Amino acid sequence: MSTTLTRRLRQADVSQEKKVEAEAPDEQEDEDQDSGDCKAIRLTLMEEVLLLGLKDKEGYTSFWNDCISSGLRGGILIELALRGRVQLEAATLRKKRLTDRKVLLKSDTPTGDVLLDETLKHMKATDPAQTVQTWIELLTGETWNPFKLQYQLRNVRERVAKNLVEKGILTTEKQNFLLFDMTTHPVTNTTEKQRLVRKMQDSVLDRWVKDPHRMDKRTLALLVLAHYSDILENIFASLADDKYDVATNRSKELLERDPEVEAYKPSATEMIWAVLAAFNKS
């Protein structure tokens, strides 16, 4: 009798150990995903913005869209913050507003992404530190100071597109537009793009939580960036009329919140609201 009981206990222990081993990778994956540096995060915010902005077959963004450049640079700042490389300086009585607080370098450890690492080098070499709005202007080259044009990140769309080509989501083609030839990047992995579109749609429909601080941080950031990159319509275009109205109204309600109020709430990611404040001010 005791032998049988001992055998059962041992079997139960083995089963429990196997269960723990099976669960451990998922727990580690969650921890890595929170850090922002794990392979489970397939795309950066910049890559997601560009992918959502591209026309699938044509492989280029709208010629009338002059907002996506700033959106991509805003995505760089948020991505760096989510990866623990930068943060806003602490609020003081004199510098309480998000648009007045400087971006501080927490770590210059390379991320493995060329654009992110190039931005880190600029920030490390800049003294004094600059605000979010100033960094967006510097990185886009929209600065009045000719001595700071070296901070401009050049060919960002093309470099992000090449990253997506390497990840098997886009391809590269040459198209003739009467007077000139242009490199285009049609979508080849439509499954990945549709997954992203559905995730964004669900965030304001079936998985709507009303409170932005309960939303996934990357999803919230992408909604902000998509709106100010003028590509939010691309995300909701496939919805039926009734769901389209719900999605746009909820997005509008979220984006019209006061960043200065939201940034100081518990669990808020300040950089997301700082980028929103910078976009509102520009």
Side-chain angles (χ1 to χ4, degrees), residues 49-229:
V49 168
L50 184 65
L51 181 57
L52 291 170
L54 284 174
K55 299 179 179 180
D56 288 8
K57 294 181 179 179
E58 293 85 348
Y60 53 82
T61 58
S62 170
F63 290 127
W64 310 109
N65 189 337
D66 58 354
C67 304
I68 197 168
S69 292
S70 295
L72 290 171
R73 272 66 171 194
I76 289 174
L77 296 180
I78 296 176
E79 187 77 44
L80 286 173
L82 293 177
R83 294 185 182 217
R85 301 308 196 276
V86 299
Q87 66 182 15
L88 290 184
E89 66 179 338
T92 63
L93 290 177
R94 294 185 61 187
K95 288 186 177 182
K96 187 175 182 180
R97 295 184 63 81
L98 293 170
T99 50
D100 294 332
R101 294 162 60 188
K102 306 296 179 63
V103 179
L104 302 181
L105 188 66
K106 288 178 62 179
S107 169
D108 61 352
T109 303
T111 65
D113 181 276
V114 176
L115 287 171
L116 295 178
D117 293 342
E118 189 174 330
T119 303
L120 283 177
K121 289 181 181 179
H122 286 322
M123 290 181 169
K124 185 177 181 180
T126 301
D127 186 26
Q130 303 295 323
T131 64
V132 168
Q133 184 174 9
T134 299
W135 271 118
I136 291 175
E137 292 171 354
L138 290 174
L139 296 175
T140 54
E142 297 176 354
T143 175
W144 58 269
N145 190 338
F147 296 103
K148 293 192 175 183
L149 289 177
Q150 74 269 21
Y151 292 110
Q152 180 181 4
L153 295 179
R154 300 183 182 278
N155 304 317
V156 169
R157 294 190 208 190
E158 183 63 23
R159 292 160 75 182
V160 173
K162 286 182 177 179
N163 288 346
L164 289 168
V165 171
E166 292 177 359
K167 293 180 179 181
I169 297 174
L170 306 181
T171 188
T172 302
E173 295 180 356
K174 288 280 188 180
Q175 289 197 29
N176 180 271
F177 290 87
L178 297 178
L179 299 178
F180 61 94
D181 291 333
M182 187 174 80
T183 301
T184 61
H185 298 283
V187 178
T188 53
N189 188 342
T190 55
T191 300
E192 178 63 22
K193 181 168 183 178
Q194 288 306 310
R195 181 201 64 77
L196 179 59
V197 169
R198 284 195 300 272
K199 183 186 79 169
M200 300 307 295
Q201 291 175 350
D202 288 346
S203 70
V204 291
L205 291 172
D206 297 340
R207 301 178 65 182
W208 177 244
V209 293
K210 296 183 181 179
D211 181 2
H213 303 287
R214 294 172 55 204
M215 293 180 67
D216 170 69
K217 294 177 181 179
R218 299 185 68 87
T219 302
L220 173 62
L222 191 53
L223 279 173
V224 170
L225 296 170
H227 175 66
Y228 283 94
S229 299

Side-chain angles (χ1 to χ4, degrees), residues 6-74:
T6 302
R7 189 183 301 116
R8 287 179 179 177
L9 289 173
R10 288 176 177 173
Q11 290 174 347
D13 289 341
V14 171
S15 299
Q16 183 64 26
E17 289 175 2
K18 290 182 178 179
K19 182 179 179 181
V20 170
E21 291 174 356
E23 290 175 351
D26 292 337
E27 292 173 357
Q28 183 64 42
E29 182 174 318
D30 290 340
E31 291 174 3
D32 290 343
Q33 185 164 347
D34 289 339
S35 71
D37 276 325
C38 119
K39 294 180 181 179
I41 299 180
R42 182 176 177 80
L43 303 180
T44 65
L45 289 171
M46 304 87 74
E47 291 165 354
E48 290 179 332
V49 168
L50 184 65
L51 181 57
L52 291 170
L54 284 174
K55 299 179 179 180
D56 288 8
K57 294 181 179 179
E58 293 85 348
Y60 53 82
T61 58
S62 170
F63 290 127
W64 310 109
N65 189 337
D66 58 354
C67 304
I68 197 168
S69 292
S70 295
L72 290 171
R73 272 66 171 194

